[in-house]
Amino acid sequence: MDETLIFAIRECYQRVLSQIDEATARSGRDAGSVRLVVVTKSQPLEVVQAAIAAGASILGENYAEEAVAKINALAETAVEWHMIGHVQSRKADLVAGHFSMLHSLDSLKLAERLNRYCEELGRSLQVLLEINVSGEESKYGFPGWDEQHWPNLEPEIGHITALPRLRLRGLMTMPPFFDDPEQTRPYFQRLHRLQVFLREHIPYADWTDLSMGTSADFITAIEEGATYVRVGQAILGRRSA
Ligand SMILES: *Cc1c(COP(=O)(O)O)cnc(C)c1O
């Protein structure tokens, strides 16, 4: 293994962890209440191995096939794999079979498919509902930008909570990108308000987790209640295109 690479990644990983700890403490939140997903999408296997050697314990991937190749190659390693990207329905079997959590559940149809594959495999899958909090057309997710329309989400979410193999844990979002993380704050606040709304309107479900914040804005996301942050480039450097 490339010791120089491991050393470089460990340094960035530790720095991000201490920034997380500081932001958690500063926000008056419990130590350990924010977990770090190291985003390894588009990174070669050597980099993923080095990230694990540097201490990463939860890895996030966006593309099912790329991820499954890595998961199989690293089958001996005890890490948690989280799917954070859009999943096409026809890839649902790969996700049901290989991941412990899906952050980006964005339709009832996908939920039903995942549930069926999990049933066949005798597994269960933790899921977060991806919410489009900005209204950008390029974004996946349940429509959440117009707060007046939140009650319309209840029937579909109600169906998802009834799928026995899916363990709903909360919400995820990917806001628009800004150079200044302050501009992202209102979108994180909106996701947090939706969590409060769903706690009130669908109280039997578990709304504990908020997955929000990337390299650009994870500190702001923690201030606004993130329990998972998804950080790639700040730890692993630039991705190859
Ligand atoms: C790529 C990606 C991230 C990580 O972005 P970085 O800029 O590498 O920190 C987080 N979440 C999602 C959904 C992503 O696609």
Side-chain angles (χ1 to χ4, degrees):
M1 274 239 244
D2 184 339
E3 294 298 329
T4 322
L5 183 60
I6 298 171
F7 186 84
I9 292 176
R10 185 180 291 124
E11 208 165 59
C12 296
Y13 177 71
Q14 294 290 351
R15 182 177 339 113
V16 169
L17 279 183
S18 42
Q19 288 173 310
I20 290 173
D21 287 347
E22 277 164 34
T24 307
R26 195 154 30 76
S27 312
R29 301 182 50 198
D30 292 341
S33 59
V34 181
R35 276 160 294 177
L36 171 58
V37 179
V38 177
V39 177
T40 49
K41 67 165 176 228
S42 311
Q43 296 284 3
L45 197 59
E46 308 82 74
V47 173
V48 184
Q49 285 172 309
I52 295 168
S57 58
I58 308 177
L59 303 183
E61 286 278 340
N62 283 54
Y63 311 103
E65 269 135 4
E66 178 194 329
V68 168
K70 291 174 184 169
I71 293 169
N72 288 335
L74 299 170
E76 307 293 298
T77 329
V79 285
E80 261 182 58
W81 293 90
H82 289 197
M83 182 67 184
I84 64 171
H86 173 64
V87 178
Q88 295 166 292
S89 289
R90 60 196 167 81
K91 307 280 171 68
D93 59 329
L94 293 179
V95 174
H98 293 89
F99 290 85
S100 56
M101 184 180 247
L102 170 65
H103 289 229
S104 44
L105 180 58
D106 56 13
S107 74
L108 176 57
K109 181 179 162 208
L110 176 62
E112 286 173 336
R113 283 205 167 211
L114 289 166
N115 184 65
R116 185 153 43 81
Y117 283 118
C118 283
E119 184 85 54
E120 282 170 16
L121 295 164
R123 308 181 77 232
S124 63
L125 179 68
Q126 302 185 83
V127 298
L128 305 175
L129 303 179
E130 180 169 1
I131 308 294
N132 179 344
V133 290
S134 62
E136 289 168 287
E137 278 181 28
S138 60
K139 290 273 152 70
Y140 290 101
F142 291 90
W145 58 89
D146 184 345
E147 304 193 13
Q148 304 289 320
H149 288 163
W150 284 352
N152 300 345
L153 298 171
E154 285 175 51
E156 285 202 349
I157 296 179
H159 277 295
I160 293 173
T161 63
L163 296 171
R165 295 285 172 164
L166 301 189
R167 307 259 178 276
L168 181 57
R169 299 284 187 231
L171 306 173
M172 174 271 210
T173 200
M174 189 76 179
F177 178 81
F178 298 103
D179 286 323
D180 173 11
E182 268 318 302
Q183 291 188 266
T184 323
R185 191 182 297 277
Y187 298 98
F188 294 148
Q189 289 172 333
R190 179 170 291 151
L191 195 71
H192 187 208
R193 282 199 297 281
L194 179 58
Q195 179 191 42
V196 172
F197 174 91
L198 291 169
R199 275 199 171 125
E200 191 183 326
H201 288 82
I202 309 185
Y204 55 84
D206 178 357
W207 299 110
T208 306
D209 285 317
L210 290 182
S211 169
M212 54 188 198
T214 67
S215 295
D217 49 25
F218 69 91
I219 292 173
T220 312
I222 292 168
E223 290 165 0
E224 300 302 336
T227 64
Y228 284 103
V229 291
R230 309 179 308 266
V231 180
Q233 302 183 83
I235 296 171
L236 303 176
R238 281 264 178 80
R239 278 182 286 276
S240 42

